[in-house]
Amino acid sequence: DTARAQIYGDKFGTKVYPTLIVFNPEGEEVTRLNAGMELSAYDTVLETSLDSMRPTADLVHAALEDPDLLTDAELQQLASYSWYDNDKALPAGTSPELFNSLSKTAADRNAKASARFYLQYLVMLAAAEDEPGAADPAPLEAILADQELLFATWDYLTSNPDRIIAAVEGNGTENVSLRSALVDAVLKNRHDENLSTTQQINAWNTYFALQAGEEGDLPAEIIADIRADGVAAEEKTSGSHERQSVIDAVYSTWLDAGLVDEARALLKAEIGTSKTPYYFMSSLAWLEEQQGNMDVAVDWRRKAYENSTGPATRIRWWARYAQAVVRMVPENPTAIDTAAMAIFTETDLLGQIFAGANFRNLQNTTNALQDWDQEFNAGQSKLGAYHAAIKSLCGEQALGSSAYTSCTSLLP
């Protein structure tokens, strides 16, 4: 929401926040870290990066040449890099085998780095377009048997368990014992003080990805544990920034467990006390949409937009509101027009609307509106006012500028 934030976000390719990026004096990216990493690793990685100041992209090229020539500090830098948030450090077409090689190189020098490299290898292998055979399960089994390695790779194990297992299983039969071992290791250690409260709750992601049956089939003891974990997390978390992350994790987990009433009550209670209630209003809207309560969901989307603050946030929440109306009540052109036109009354936002994620939100909303118009109003468009407002915006942009080009691309 700060000045030029969307421009910088596009420039550096950030997808999630918070993301910490370290630059050297030449302005080159050295490394980036996200919030999912083991808490104790941050200081080590930052010190290593500040000592080296060698860009991660350079280290990747060195690793492709000969990973054995990388120093211990450089291996640590690569192992801790947030590959999910930015894969631009990898040359196009980089094989997953790079990370398998790095894992072997680090095996006798840095066990935690080796473990992270191997799981990155598995994640990339599962996402590859070809269909490789099953990867060696032994390194994964070693990670699950070692608590230090488990915590060092917690972000992988709780955010990508399905890909990790898929890579190990290959095209073969389901490895039930390994799935159970992964779920058991994560759940057994989920209350450890080395983990943040959000990381503890996210342990249930692994269970739902690998072991949960159909909705409504969860064992009573599992539901009781999920409920108890959520209550404990909510009660012990007070800081506004941490609390937002924790409440979101608890709500999502409760919803996955079928605890719909508890999740709804949690969000409503938070709205009354939070400094950023629009986040929880948006979550409530999604919940109600999933439950088939479309009018209620639309109303929460509207409230979320109206209560949001900050230019980029308001544009984002407007886009969610407008797209939700199109999706949920397509038979109501008046409601759609009201939602679509709302952004054009906020003249202070329009000067930033062609930058970064702001424009992507505008573009996605325009596409949704035009698709709706073609399907429901063929030959008699209901978007005259919307297109006129876009055309007026285009007239305010300098000819030949990127903003002008972006704006005119939205016109029919």
Side-chain angles (χ1 to χ4, degrees):
D1 285 317
T2 56
R4 298 180 64 79
Q6 297 303 315
I7 295 173
Y8 288 131
D10 261 11
K11 179 179 179 180
F12 301 122
T14 55
K15 298 177 182 176
V16 297
Y17 66 91
T19 296
L20 176 63
I21 304 179
V22 178
F23 299 95
N24 64 19
E26 288 72 41
E28 299 170 307
E29 178 178 322
V30 176
T31 193
R32 65 175 60 200
L33 310 173
N34 65 38
M37 212 173 64
E38 182 187 19
L39 296 178
S40 61
Y42 278 93
D43 287 345
T44 300
V45 176
L46 287 175
E47 288 177 7
T48 298
S49 300
L50 292 172
D51 285 343
S52 169
M53 286 296 176
R54 190 176 179 187
T56 292
D58 288 357
L59 296 183
V60 168
H61 285 289
L64 288 168
E65 292 292 328
D66 187 351
D68 290 333
L69 297 181
L70 294 172
T71 67
D72 291 350
E74 289 169 342
L75 285 171
Q76 180 64 58
Q77 182 177 326
L78 284 173
S80 303
Y81 190 79
S82 179
W83 298 107
Y84 165 78
D85 187 50
N86 181 34
D87 59 3
K88 293 180 180 177
L90 295 176
T94 298
S95 169
E97 191 59 36
L98 167 65
F99 289 92
N100 192 23
S101 298
L102 285 168
S103 179
K104 294 174 181 177
T105 297
D108 296 328
R109 297 159 61 182
N110 185 332
K112 291 183 179 180
S114 177
R116 291 187 63 81
F117 284 136
Y118 195 73
L119 295 193
Q120 179 63 27
Y121 161 63
L122 295 183
V123 169
M124 290 181 64
L125 193 65
E129 292 184 0
D130 55 355
E131 297 184 358
D136 182 6
L140 175 58
E141 292 168 347
I143 291 170
L144 301 181
D146 187 310
Q147 192 179 56
E148 288 192 1
L149 298 184
L150 188 78
F151 291 143
T153 57
W154 193 265
D155 51 335
Y156 281 102
L157 297 174
T158 58
S159 62
N160 286 292
D162 48 348
R163 286 190 173 186
I164 289 170
I165 288 295
V168 172
E169 291 176 343
N171 296 318
T173 58
E174 185 175 291
N175 191 329
V176 177
S177 62
L178 189 56
R179 285 170 174 257
S180 296
L182 174 48
V183 172
D184 290 346
V186 169
L187 292 186
K188 178 182 176 181
N189 289 278
R190 72 185 187 279
H191 294 141
D192 194 277
E193 62 183 10
N194 285 290
L195 302 169
S196 69
T197 304
T198 298
Q199 288 174 319
Q200 292 176 19
I201 294 296
N202 284 343
W204 290 107
N205 292 344
T206 306
Y207 173 82
F208 286 116
L210 299 180
Q211 212 165 66
E214 296 298 322
E215 185 177 350
D217 292 341
L218 297 183
E221 61 271 21
I222 290 292
I223 293 177
D225 284 346
I226 291 173
R227 182 186 285 111
D229 281 1
V231 170
E234 188 274 333
E235 289 179 346
K236 72 179 182 181
T237 307
S238 57
S240 59
H241 293 294
E242 182 186 8
R243 188 170 178 84
Q244 181 175 309
S245 174
V246 168
I247 295 299
D248 185 63
V250 171
Y251 137 77
S252 298
T253 303
W254 278 359
L255 205 55
D256 286 340
L259 300 173
V260 177
D261 291 340
E262 289 91 335
R264 182 185 286 116
L266 177 73
L267 294 173
K268 286 185 176 181
E270 208 63 25
I271 287 171
T273 59
S274 174
K275 294 179 180 179
T276 53
Y278 46 90
Y279 281 101
F280 304 110
M281 291 173 179
S282 184
S283 295
L284 261 174
W286 189 88
L287 182 155
E288 298 297 356
E289 182 177 356
Q290 298 306 302
Q291 297 302 306
N293 304 322
M294 299 307 181
D295 288 339
V296 177
V298 166
D299 197 46
W300 278 118
R301 288 291 182 189
R302 176 185 59 78
K303 290 177 181 177
Y305 162 57
E306 291 176 350
N307 283 272
S308 62
T309 58
T313 299
R314 286 192 66 77
I315 293 170
R316 180 185 179 192
W317 258 253
W318 162 76
R320 290 184 173 186
Y321 167 42
Q323 291 174 43
V325 176
V326 169
R327 183 174 64 251
M328 288 188 272
V329 288
E331 73 288 347
N332 191 338
T334 300
I336 291 172
D337 181 70
T338 299
M341 295 302 295
I343 196 68
F344 299 107
T345 66
E346 302 200 46
T347 55
D348 55 326
L349 303 184
L350 298 179
Q352 304 179 42
I353 205 163
F354 297 112
N358 291 344
F359 176 67
R360 289 193 294 275
N361 282 315
L362 175 63
Q363 185 179 46
N364 291 337
T365 302
T366 301
N367 290 340
L369 288 166
Q370 291 176 344
D371 288 345
W372 164 79
D373 203 35
Q374 290 175 7
E375 180 177 355
F376 289 87
N377 310 302
Q380 193 174 3
S381 175
K382 301 289 186 181
L383 295 180
Y386 184 83
H387 287 144
I390 293 290
K391 188 174 182 179
S392 177
L393 271 181
C394 296
E396 297 172 7
Q397 314 307 313
L399 288 175
S401 67
S402 60
Y404 181 83
T405 301
S406 295
C407 186
T408 54
S409 71
L410 302 177
L411 294 173

